[in-house]
Structure formats: structure tokens, C-alpha cells
Amino acid sequence: MKSLDRRDFLKSLAVAGAGVLSPAILNAESKVHAPRISPTLANQYPFFGIHQQGIATPAQKHIYFLVLDLHTSSRAEMKEVFQTWTAYASKLTAGENVAPYGKNLLVPPKDTGEADSLNPYNLTLTFGVGASFFDKLGLKSVRPKSLKDLPHFPRDQLREEFSGGDICIQACADDPQVAFHAVRNLVRVARLKVTMKWSQMGFNSYEGKETPRNLFAFKDGTINPSANELDKVVWVKDGSWLDNGTYLAIRRVQMHLETWDRTHLKGQNDTFGRMRDSGAAYGKNEEFEEADIEARDENGERIMPEDSHVFLAKKTGIQVLRRSFSFASGVDSRTGQFDAGLLFISFQKDPMQFIKIQNALGNVDRMNEYITHIGSGLFACFGGVSKKNGDYIGRALLG
């Protein structure tokens, strides 16, 4: 007879032992499994609405971004997954567990529990799908022509492990454990249908309504479209399954902090085309004053360097909605330097908005001396979900 390994032995003991337990023990209610306490629900973002939250929503302080690959080619199975994710997401963003604790103590709880007693901390969950999602589910005929892998940009050094993917889940909250708890439970319930490809935790720090600073100490995301400009810049309005949705471009950008720290302050300002302390563009006094790339000094020379980040981006005349987060993931074993950088995220109604800006930066951008793009992805983020008629994430696509 083949000998049992330790795991099989323990499993056999559990099965054998269960048969002698009394019904009273099997159905006993746990005294430590109290209902989840949500002391403060102020400013929570409901999951249901015309658009998904986490896009035009004011950026929270933490993100857990996860990319998944399909482990099935069944449209029906993925429909079931998205239906379940909808039910879970509506509870998680409301500060509830995905399911209450059961009475049987010998069954694993449906909710992993690390957010028990925590309020939702403005949690938002945003879902998107990549081009490969359509290929694997036989949906090529309804894949938007714009949804394809981003092109290779100048200076890209992309790593396969940080690129592409079938599905993305963006969880943002003002508490990192709340964000992770949400993603963990969404993945857990879909384990047989999806596998994790890559993930990244990130953070923003700011006081009040100030613009967050990136790890180069410059304010990041100063110029974003106003609420009145979102239809023009962000939301898809074409009557398709993507109506009221948008495209999410993500880039994992490694920042070479040691090189940056050896650069004098004027060189840092010249790189961005902004003043590090105030965030004001060259030639301006306040952060939110619109940059004038044509402004000149008394000698007729341009005030803003023509290879600065702001000059090159502004010259395109194109807008996107930036929603980026910094990350610090320990030490890069290959270099002995910080593994740190920017999880660049932008939302736009047409991927060409991002592509044209990135191509304009190209080899010219002075910033290239200090950063390397090592990850890349493009996802179509569904429109919002209605509370009525059994709606769920992606229903317009999956039926």
C-alpha cells in the first residue's frame, strides 16, 4: 500500500474525526465571529452607477492593481464569474463582508476576514478586459479595433511578467488592507477560472486636497480634465457594449532614484518644466495656472526647456485622465538599488490619446535619463452597473 504523505494523513484524520463529532459541535455558532463592524461609512462610493468608480473618483491613498489570465475558454463560466464579482463588489464597497460567517465551524468562511471591523475607506473596484480576453472566449467579432497591445515605445524595456493580461482589477482605498482584502476575495471565488499574472501595490500621500507628489518629489497629476470635460476626454459614447466605459492604459515605470538624487535642483526642475516646491509651470506662480510653452524671456528665449516633460506633453494638445500611484517594492536584486517607481495609470476614450502623447515624449524627453518603462497594458473598462434587471459587470458584452 502506498504510504500517505503528511498532508494526506492530516486530511484523513479530519475526515475520520468529523464522523464522531456531535451535531451540536458541527452547528455551533462561533462566539468570536462577530458581524463586521463599520463604524464610519462617510464618503463611501457605491458600486452601482452609470460609470464604474475608481476612474473619475478622487484618487485614494492606496491601490492594489492585479492582472489576471483566463483559465477557461467558456463564456458561460466567465459570465458566472462576473455575476459573482458584481455581488461581491457591491458588498465590499459598502463595507460588508462578501458573505456572513456561517454556523458550521468546520467549513472555511467565504470571507477571508482581514477587513473585519474596518470601514470601507472609500474603496472603489474597477474592472477591465484586455484584447486577449476576446480571443480566448471567441469574441473577436466584438473586440474594439482600438483594443490591442500598446505599441513598443522608444526606450521601452518591457518585461513579459509585467505586460499584457486578460483581466485587470483596480482596487483603491484609503487603507491598504481594505484594498487587498477586496482583491483577495474576488480572486478566491474565481480560482478555477483565472490565474494571477502580476500585481502591484501603490500609494499616494497628500494633505487635504493637495496634489500627491511622486518619488521624484514633484506633484503628479496637476493637469487633469475637469468634470465638464470627461465626456470629451474619458467616456466612450458609441452605443456599443463599452458605452459609458473607458480605456485604461497602465505602465509600470521604474524610477532610478539614485541617479535622480545626484541631479541638482535646477536640473530636476528643467526635467519636468515645473518648480519642485510649488508645482508651478515655468513662467507661472501657481500650480494650477496653465502652462504656456510659447512664453519667452526678455531675450526672446523660451522659458520652458523644449525637452522638458511638460513642454513635450503640452505640445500635443491632447488630454488624458491621470490616476497614478507610487510604489516601493524592496530592493532590486539585480542592481542593489531601490525597486521603486510609478504605477502610471491613465483613462481615455480612445487609446490613441495616450499613444500620441507617449510617442511625442519618445527619445526626446529629458525624463528618460531617470526612468525605464518595464510594464505595459491596455484594458477596456466596462460601463457602470445598474441595480435593476439583474445587471452585472460586462453584461452588455457577455449577455
Side-chain angles (χ1 to χ4, degrees), residues 65-80:
F65 193 92
L66 177 68
V67 176
L68 302 160
D69 279 338
L70 294 182
H71 199 58
T72 178
S73 59
S74 169
R75 216 177 302 178
E77 289 183 345
M78 286 313 301
K79 176 179 177 178
E80 183 180 353

Side-chain angles (χ1 to χ4, degrees), residues 48-249:
F48 298 103
I50 296 175
H51 307 291
Q52 289 197 73
Q53 300 282 19
I55 300 171
T57 313
Q60 299 95 318
K61 293 189 175 182
H62 299 276
I63 187 173
Y64 194 91
F65 193 92
L66 177 68
V67 176
L68 302 160
D69 279 338
L70 294 182
H71 199 58
T72 178
S73 59
S74 169
R75 216 177 302 178
E77 289 183 345
M78 286 313 301
K79 176 179 177 178
E80 183 180 353
V81 167
F82 279 110
Q83 288 173 326
T84 303
W85 280 353
T86 300
Y88 276 25
S90 65
K91 292 179 179 295
L92 291 164
T93 54
E96 301 174 14
N97 284 349
V98 298
Y101 286 109
K103 294 182 178 181
N104 188 341
L105 302 187
L106 299 182
V107 175
K110 288 189 175 181
D111 191 286
T112 54
E114 69 270 29
D116 284 5
S117 77
L118 296 176
N119 77 68
Y121 283 100
N122 298 318
L123 173 68
T124 57
L125 291 165
T126 313
F127 299 84
V129 291
S132 53
F133 178 89
F134 296 81
D135 298 340
K136 293 179 179 180
L137 293 185
L139 292 168
K140 289 184 180 181
S141 62
V142 292
R143 187 184 75 196
K145 293 181 180 179
S146 299
L147 183 58
K148 51 189 175 183
D149 290 342
L150 291 171
H152 184 88
F153 297 109
R155 303 289 187 99
D156 274 1
Q157 295 183 30
L158 302 182
R159 301 179 190 172
E160 194 281 331
E161 65 266 29
F162 298 132
S163 300
D166 300 332
I167 300 173
C168 73
I169 302 175
Q170 174 191 270
C172 298
D174 287 323
D175 181 273
Q177 189 149 311
V178 168
F180 178 77
H181 167 260
V183 173
R184 178 183 178 187
N185 282 273
L186 293 169
V187 172
R188 185 187 187 206
V189 76
R191 277 288 189 185
L192 297 179
K193 312 297 189 305
V194 297
T195 56
M196 293 186 287
K197 180 175 174 66
W198 68 274
S199 69
Q200 182 63 59
M201 294 188 75
F203 54 88
N204 274 323
S205 292
Y206 51 87
E207 298 291 342
K209 295 184 179 180
E210 287 191 5
T211 307
R213 293 181 184 270
N214 58 35
L215 298 184
F216 286 161
F218 278 77
K219 296 188 175 186
D220 196 288
T222 295
I223 304 301
N224 260 332
S226 66
N228 294 330
E229 296 174 308
L230 295 180
D231 283 344
K232 176 184 175 183
V233 177
V234 176
W235 306 124
V236 173
K237 298 284 186 180
D238 62 1
S240 72
W241 62 264
L242 191 53
D243 205 43
N244 292 317
T246 187
Y247 290 94
L248 181 158

Side-chain angles (χ1 to χ4, degrees), residues 6 21 26 32 38 50 52 66-67 123 130 146 157 160-161 164 171 200 236 286 312 344 356 362 364 367-368 377 387:
R6 181 175 181 274
L21 290 176
L26 282 174
V32 299
S38 297
I50 296 175
Q52 289 197 73
L66 177 68
V67 176
L123 173 68
S146 299
Q157 295 183 30
E160 194 281 331
E161 65 266 29
Q200 182 63 59
V236 173
E286 304 292 338
L312 293 169
F344 174 91
K356 287 179 178 179
V364 183
M367 189 78 71
N368 289 329
K387 279 187 176 182

Side-chain angles (χ1 to χ4, degrees), residues 256-324:
H256 307 302
L257 302 182
E258 292 77 7
T259 304
W260 180 259
D261 292 343
R262 293 193 296 269
T263 302
H264 55 67
L265 183 56
K266 183 180 184 304
Q268 293 183 2
N269 290 340
D270 286 347
T271 297
F272 276 90
R274 290 186 178 275
M275 308 304 292
R276 192 172 102 168
D277 55 353
S278 66
Y282 273 29
K284 302 295 180 179
N285 297 313
E286 304 292 338
E287 176 190 354
F288 294 103
E289 287 185 86
E290 186 173 356
D292 181 3
I293 62 175
E294 298 300 332
R296 298 178 184 269
D297 61 20
E298 61 275 10
N299 298 317
E301 299 293 330
R302 288 189 193 275
I303 294 176
M304 186 177 295
E306 295 185 15
D307 59 355
S308 68
H309 196 69
V310 169
F311 182 94
L312 293 169
K314 177 76 173 177
K315 189 176 179 181
T316 66
I318 299 171
Q319 283 185 295
V320 296
L321 175 61
R322 288 179 59 116
R323 210 168 187 279
S324 302

